[in-house]
């Protein structure tokens, strides 16, 4: 059985960093697309692009390829994007799979869902960089990719790109709560993910907003995309299958 | 070393669905019984049978076989039953093993321990089916057997039987708190069990009622009995041994 | 790459019980020391020795061997000790690794960080034994080494030594919060550790006091030092590396 997946990357990433996982999923017979969102392409103006640009670019990707029965996967910030896509073209989707990803309510922005010390950090970096935010390496190494060795932490960090800050502060507009959408919902929780602190965790704080959802878990950090692609690919398939 | 186990199934199950796990435990040299409780046998009247009938049928099973030093295992609703059995014939028991199972206080019923949306769901189904409740398939597939593929979710669902609703609303009578019983207590938590939501989890909310208890965990859903019998068998033995 | 580790044992242990894990770490090329703290040596007077004696003995060990860039590992009570060591000789340390260990604030003692029923238990045992406390075997077997079989639970218990109670009630003095120390911090959480109850857990309650820290987890009880030394050795290396 071959399912169609579209994987939406997180902040600072592009589709290219999702390819290691996608390759393992394709080996299991699935069709997997890894587009890069508007705002994270080399040519994009980080100072002006916002959440709606990112959502629209994902919608356009699915419509232009005329994809149906899509299992739409979002990682981290990608959860904001797949939520917006689902609100617009649910008829093309079979299931949403949130991978340690944000699940917003109508009117919320990403910064509403993270602890205050992140907002302060991002505010300060954005102010100095014309709205393009980067993550400091010590935070990446200790809290994002805590399961990798230093060499992998460094080589993966080198692939990141500055992220357009408007996508963190633009509120999302949703016509109905995600829990009411008549498609499947899964939450994949990497168990050692401390990119969000335990007082404001990914799961169950955000997963429970999905209503009836399927939980899948595997060992790994927020960046298991780099530290263990075959294991994450297996978990995504368990989360995305019927 | 050969230990004697009695496994008490959960709601909608019979002893037959416990046999895959029991088989693996027997291969490790143990004696394992899997009785079917009053209320879940084909001939039982679902409209009248209650919690006391179920408890008495388990007591009778142990007494008629004259079992001693029993490691009494209860799954889910079976936790209500083994709690009642322990209150009556603790002298025949060596240890209680709760497998994502309910641990009641004196006077509580199962419905006191689940979220309101389950009570509403069960109320409504029971009212339409002469007190025999079934679990809707989407809940089974997403929240009970989230670690299986669709084929196993369907084939296992086909084995379930309508459950007598009185067993969910009858309060249990306990002469003393379970924590004070002078036998061993273990709690086995399958880590991806979302049959209860995370706001009202199995563990530690219910496990801590056991006082000094042994925690054992393994990966798996509420229905690891179907999705991974050898792993669950190993975990039960680690929970049940001296 | 060879790193230098110093492992500080917990209450009732000596350095000898850390050697099984240390052996596996040495096989990966690291230098590993396992000193025994003042208070837990055979000749020590349990009635008078306190937390400061223990901390000073660890500082002295590091200074006398003139160790630098130390990855300082503390287990359980050992977390009190490594916190005090870091406050005094941070310049000799590369990183702190807490293994299900206490993380105190300035002025706190170990007993401030455990549930009241432990304090009552320890008070009562200390009063009867001239300030030397032992852990009752049932607590050890069910809540400390819940992942072992009975034979290992008994043989490991036989190696424990009475612990000087002053080390549990002496407040620690810290010149600055541990989170502000300019060295790496890691928290290694053994996932089935119920030596502390879930209402007052090791992680995240104590780990979050470290500020930006690296989380590493592995399966196992509070005493994975006995039940699974190779797995714990691997986890410590993942927690301690750059």
């Amino acid at each position: 059985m071959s399912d169609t997946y579209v994987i939406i990357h997180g902040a600072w990433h592009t589709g290219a960093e999702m390819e290691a996982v996608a390759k393992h999923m394709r080996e299991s017979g699935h069709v997997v697309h890894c587009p890069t969102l508007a705002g994270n392409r080399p040519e994009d103006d980080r100072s002006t692009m916002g959440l709606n640009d990112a959502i629209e670019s994902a919608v356009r990707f699915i419509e232009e390829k005329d994809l149906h029965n899509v299992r739409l996967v979002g990682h981290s910030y990608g959860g904001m994007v797949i939520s917006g896509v689902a609100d617009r073209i649910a008829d093309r989707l079979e299931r949403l799979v949130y991978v340690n990803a944000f699940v917003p309510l109508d009117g919320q922005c990403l910064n509403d869902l993270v602890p205050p010390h992140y907002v302060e950090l991002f505010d300060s970096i954005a102010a100095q960089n014309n709205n393009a935010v980067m993550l400091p390496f010590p935070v990446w190494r200790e809290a994002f990719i805590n399961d990798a060795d230093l060499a992998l932490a460094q080589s993966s960090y080198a692939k990141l790109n500055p992220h357009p800050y408007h996508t963190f502060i633009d509120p999302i507009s949703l016509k109905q709560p995600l829990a009411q959408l008549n498609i499947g919902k899964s939450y994949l929780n990497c168990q050692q993910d401390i990119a969000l602190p335990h007082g404001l965790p990914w799961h169950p704080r955000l997963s429970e907003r999905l209503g009836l959802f399927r939980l899948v878990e595997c060992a790994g950090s927020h960046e298991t995309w780099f530290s263990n692609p075959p294991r994450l690919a297996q978990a995504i398939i368990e989360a995305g299958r019927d």
Side-chain angles (χ1 to χ4, degrees), chain A:
Chain A
M1 185 194 48
S2 174
D3 292 328
T4 298
Y5 284 87
V6 174
I7 301 179
I8 302 297
H9 61 78
W12 304 295
H13 296 66
T14 69
E17 286 83 62
M18 309 286 104
E19 281 293 336
V21 169
K23 180 175 81 75
H24 287 283
M25 294 175 66
R26 290 183 195 117
E27 287 168 7
S28 295
H30 302 295
V31 175
V32 188
H33 302 276
C34 303
T36 296
L37 294 171
N40 292 100
R41 298 167 303 197
E43 68 274 18
D44 290 331
D45 181 352
R46 268 69 177 162
S47 71
T48 57
M49 285 211 153
L51 180 60
N52 204 42
D53 297 306
I55 293 170
E56 278 184 4
S57 72
V59 167
R60 209 157 44 234
F61 181 88
I62 291 169
E63 289 181 340
E64 286 179 358
K65 291 200 174 307
D66 196 22
L67 304 178
H68 291 275
N69 303 312
V70 171
R71 286 126 218 280
L72 183 60
V73 180
H75 175 230
S76 199
Y77 154 68
M80 298 294 294
V81 176
I82 68 171
S83 299
V85 171
D87 195 64
R88 300 185 193 187
I89 55 167
D91 56 313
R92 287 180 179 272
L93 308 182
E94 187 70 29
R95 181 174 287 267
L96 294 172
V97 178
Y98 291 82
V99 183
N100 291 81
F102 293 100
V103 183
L105 302 178
D106 180 45
Q108 287 188 320
C109 68
L110 184 147
N111 270 0
D112 289 335
L113 304 175
V114 303
H117 71 271
Y118 272 164
V119 176
E120 284 171 34
L121 175 69
F122 297 152
D123 276 351
S124 138
I125 298 173
Q128 293 163 31
N129 291 280
N130 199 21
N131 265 337
V133 286
M134 263 307 289
L135 197 64
F137 180 73
V139 177
W140 174 261
R141 198 277 163 277
E142 299 293 303
F144 276 63
I145 194 160
N146 37 310
D147 57 347
D149 63 16
L150 181 60
L152 180 57
Q154 289 171 330
S155 65
S156 55
Y157 188 75
K159 294 176 181 163
L160 302 183
N161 71 88
H163 193 78
Y165 196 44
H166 280 302
T167 66
F168 284 11
I169 58 183
D170 291 346
I172 198 166
S173 170
L174 298 174
K175 291 191 293 288
Q176 60 179 327
L178 292 159
Q180 290 177 20
L181 279 183
N182 190 28
I183 55 177
K185 295 119 195 167
S186 295
Y187 207 93
L188 197 172
N189 182 49
C190 293
Q191 293 164 310
Q192 284 73 49
D193 186 331
I194 51 169
L196 286 183
H198 281 77
L200 288 172
W202 299 101
H203 167 74
R205 177 179 66 118
L206 298 173
S207 54
E208 289 190 343
R209 295 180 166 188
L210 298 174
L212 178 63
F213 74 99
R214 184 190 307 171
L215 176 68
V216 174
E217 293 189 297
C218 69
S221 71
H222 194 61
E223 297 294 338
T224 308
W225 302 88
F226 296 107
S227 57
N228 198 348
R231 181 66 188 92
L232 186 58
Q234 177 195 334
I236 291 175
I237 290 170
E238 291 174 7
R241 64 189 173 189
D242 283 338

